[in-house]
Amino acid sequence: MPTVQLLVNALALGAAYALVALGFVLVLNAAGAVNFAHGDMVMLGGVAAVAASTLLAAGGLRLPGIVLLPLVVIVSGLVGLVVAAVGFWPLRDRPPAAMFVATIALAAVFEQSATAFFGPEPRAAPAVWDGAPIIIGGIALGRQPLALILVAGLALAGVYALLERTQIGRRFRAVAQDREMARALGLRATRLIVGAFALAGGLAGLAGALLGHHFFVNAGQGPAYMLKAYIATAIGGWGSVPGALVGALLIALFETLVSAALSAVWAQALLYLSLLAILLLRPQGLFGEAVGRRA
């Protein structure tokens, strides 16, 4: 495969992984604890895309994948609210370990529920932009990777604008920085944290729908996505949003360029070796805060 095609595929994959990592870090910063159900929220986004496409096709209506994305985001946002209602709200004054256990249990519930209703066999989510490749300068570029870059890029830009350019974003950043001080200043910290869960759910679902065409969708893939979010966060810096995005892109580069140059097995091995090297030389990550700030 030509280098340009590999780079486009790497950028597309990195953009989708960035959605996963961004949602993970938003909840990490807001709640001060890891949401271990995040990977399964990505999986449920893919399930929602497949289910919506199948139901519409049964009624004789075939819609392109991009039309289904808003529905997937809404459903996934509601899943995020469920995670907040079960895994955060009743445990908001407990130690972070309580949320760890609760979200691990939720992840198991999501996986088993998806297996029961969706079945164990993998299925392909609808393509966001289907059709023949686009020829640019004699190089054939797939429509799906280009659409994935565009959609994920717009979503990431939208979240950036929300966090950096709006009053809600400033309030959220205040809560993430110091929840107790934010409450003392009159901010409704708990509502903002629940909103972070909903936003993270929407981003996870969008990523699941985008990735579901390339990797297919199956009920057991949640832990793999969770691991990628965790690695991206560790590489970039625990709690750093820009770092998580860079970490996601690095994972995608290993899975495409390194995999094409060597093999998928070597790509995974070198990725983990690189992670270990980063943690040894710079424990706080590439863009990280002081070690120990986050639980």
Side-chain angles (χ1 to χ4, degrees):
M1 182 179 292
T3 303
V4 174
Q5 289 180 327
L6 283 173
L7 288 174
V8 170
N9 290 340
L11 185 58
L13 190 60
Y17 286 165
L19 294 175
V20 180
L22 177 57
F24 179 81
V25 171
L26 286 177
V27 170
L28 173 65
N29 284 342
V34 173
N35 171 21
F36 281 101
H38 191 71
D40 285 275
M41 293 163 67
V42 178
M43 176 271 295
L44 289 178
V47 169
V50 173
S53 177
T54 302
L55 290 174
L56 291 173
L61 184 61
R62 294 186 178 276
L63 297 176
I66 195 167
V67 178
L68 301 176
L69 292 182
L71 175 62
V72 172
V73 171
I74 292 172
V75 172
S76 301
L78 294 175
V79 173
L81 290 177
V82 170
V83 174
V86 177
F88 167 72
W89 185 275
L91 306 171
R92 59 191 182 277
D93 296 322
R94 303 277 184 88
M99 182 174 162
F100 294 171
V101 176
T103 54
I104 289 172
L106 275 173
V109 170
F110 289 156
E111 180 176 342
Q112 296 305 316
S113 298
T115 302
F117 291 100
F118 186 71
E121 68 279 359
R123 304 185 192 182
V128 177
W129 188 17
D130 208 355
I134 298 175
I135 308 299
I136 300 177
I139 299 175
L141 299 178
R143 293 175 183 259
Q144 176 70 6
L146 295 175
L148 201 154
I149 293 170
L150 178 61
V151 171
L154 288 174
L156 293 170
V159 174
Y160 172 82
L162 175 68
L163 295 177
E164 299 293 333
R165 306 296 182 185
T166 68
Q167 188 65 27
I168 292 177
R170 285 186 283 272
R171 291 174 179 174
F172 171 79
R173 285 186 284 117
V175 170
Q177 187 69 27
D178 192 326
R179 190 189 310 180
E180 296 306 319
M181 179 60 71
R183 283 174 173 165
L185 294 173
L187 298 182
R188 296 180 175 181
T190 301
R191 291 189 180 184
L192 289 168
I193 295 171
V194 171
F197 273 92
L199 179 57
L203 292 172
L206 178 60
L210 295 175
L211 292 167
H213 181 72
H214 180 71
F215 290 120
F216 294 88
V217 180
N218 68 79
Q221 65 189 173
Y225 287 131
M226 179 66 203
L227 181 60
K228 293 181 194 300
Y230 216 101
I231 291 174
T233 303
I235 290 175
W238 205 242
S240 170
V241 171
L245 303 185
V246 171
L249 181 58
L250 287 175
I251 293 173
L253 289 174
F254 273 96
E255 291 188 0
T256 51
L257 298 182
V258 178
S259 181
L262 301 175
S263 68
V265 174
W266 272 109
Q268 289 293 317
L270 291 174
L271 171 61
Y272 291 124
L273 287 174
S274 299
L275 172 61
L276 289 173
I278 290 172
L279 293 178
L280 287 172
L281 298 175
R282 189 175 172 82
Q284 69 270 36
L286 298 178
F287 296 80
E289 307 159 347
V291 176
R293 170 150 186 254
R294 296 293 174 187

